[in-house]
Amino acid sequence: QELEGIAARGNFDLSQHQGASGKNLEYNDDELKTKYVPHVIEPSVGVDRCMLAVICSAYAEDEVNGEKRTLLRFHPRIAPIKAAIFPLVKNNEDIMAKSRELFERLQRRYNVAFDAGGNIGRRYRRMDEVGTPFCLTVDFDTLEDGTVTLRERDSTAQRRMTMDEAIAYISDQVD
């Protein structure tokens, strides 16, 4: 597979263009006192090839607690979604309000996701698959002490921290 193609076209293209257009495309070299049609080197690189390389490089499969998972290990700076906010339950207005508050604070600066649907483990897996490096879970403890659970995609390690600490941590990792 190639990321970049380089074609040494010689002077074929310019010679053909010169013949068809009738314009003189010769270069006049005063030092050597010669004229010639320049040779062309045509590099070919595109965003699609670069993106494919980044995605292939980030693609990974591993096993967590006996369960296989597929994930994209994007560096936090290039991850399309920097963090996801998960309310533990969607039928508690206070948890939903805190979740929305955290989402809106992060959304001012980063592309973040909000997901209140389904089992928390499945939400983690969905975000792993799209390469989201951090997930923040708002739960009943958040209402008591203002802390959230921050989960890191690559290690699946979880730790409690305040919302301000979580935002600062994500900023430190992303910026």
Side-chain angles (χ1 to χ4, degrees), residues 54-63 68-74 125 128-131 153-154:
V54 168
I55 290 170
C56 288
S57 177
Y59 180 84
E61 294 177 348
D62 69 4
E63 197 170 302
K68 288 192 179 226
R69 72 176 179 146
T70 302
L71 67 154
L72 292 174
R73 293 185 193 272
F74 290 128
R125 294 295 183 263
D128 291 346
E129 288 176 354
V130 296
R153 174 201 60 221
D154 295 341

Side-chain angles (χ1 to χ4, degrees), residues 33 40 67 93 99 102 130 136 150 157:
K33 308 234 187 291
V40 174
E67 185 181 325
E93 288 181 25
S99 300
L102 180 58
V130 296
L136 299 164
L150 181 133

Side-chain angles (χ1 to χ4, degrees), residues 1-88:
Q1 302 291 335
E2 68 177 26
L3 282 180
E4 179 180 19
I6 299 177
R9 302 288 297 170
N11 65 2
F12 177 78
D13 291 337
L14 289 178
S15 295
Q16 293 299 310
H17 185 67
Q18 180 175 272
S21 70
K23 288 192 172 204
N24 182 7
L25 298 176
E26 291 180 333
Y27 176 77
N28 187 12
D29 189 333
D30 292 334
E31 283 185 25
L32 298 176
K33 308 234 187 291
T34 61
K35 290 183 178 184
Y36 58 89
V37 176
H39 286 228
V40 174
I41 296 174
E42 181 182 359
S44 172
V45 66
V47 172
D48 55 344
R49 291 180 187 185
C50 291
M51 285 306 303
L52 179 61
V54 168
I55 290 170
C56 288
S57 177
Y59 180 84
E61 294 177 348
D62 69 4
E63 197 170 302
V64 176
N65 299 327
E67 185 181 325
K68 288 192 179 226
R69 72 176 179 146
T70 302
L71 67 154
L72 292 174
R73 293 185 193 272
F74 290 128
H75 187 282
R77 287 189 185 114
I78 65 167
I81 303 170
K82 306 303 183 195
I85 314 309
F86 301 152
L88 186 62

Side-chain angles (χ1 to χ4, degrees), residues 142-156:
T142 307
L143 302 178
E144 298 295 320
D145 59 15
T147 62
V148 295
T149 302
L150 181 133
R151 176 190 179 267
E152 297 193 32
R153 174 201 60 221
D154 295 341
S155 67
T156 69

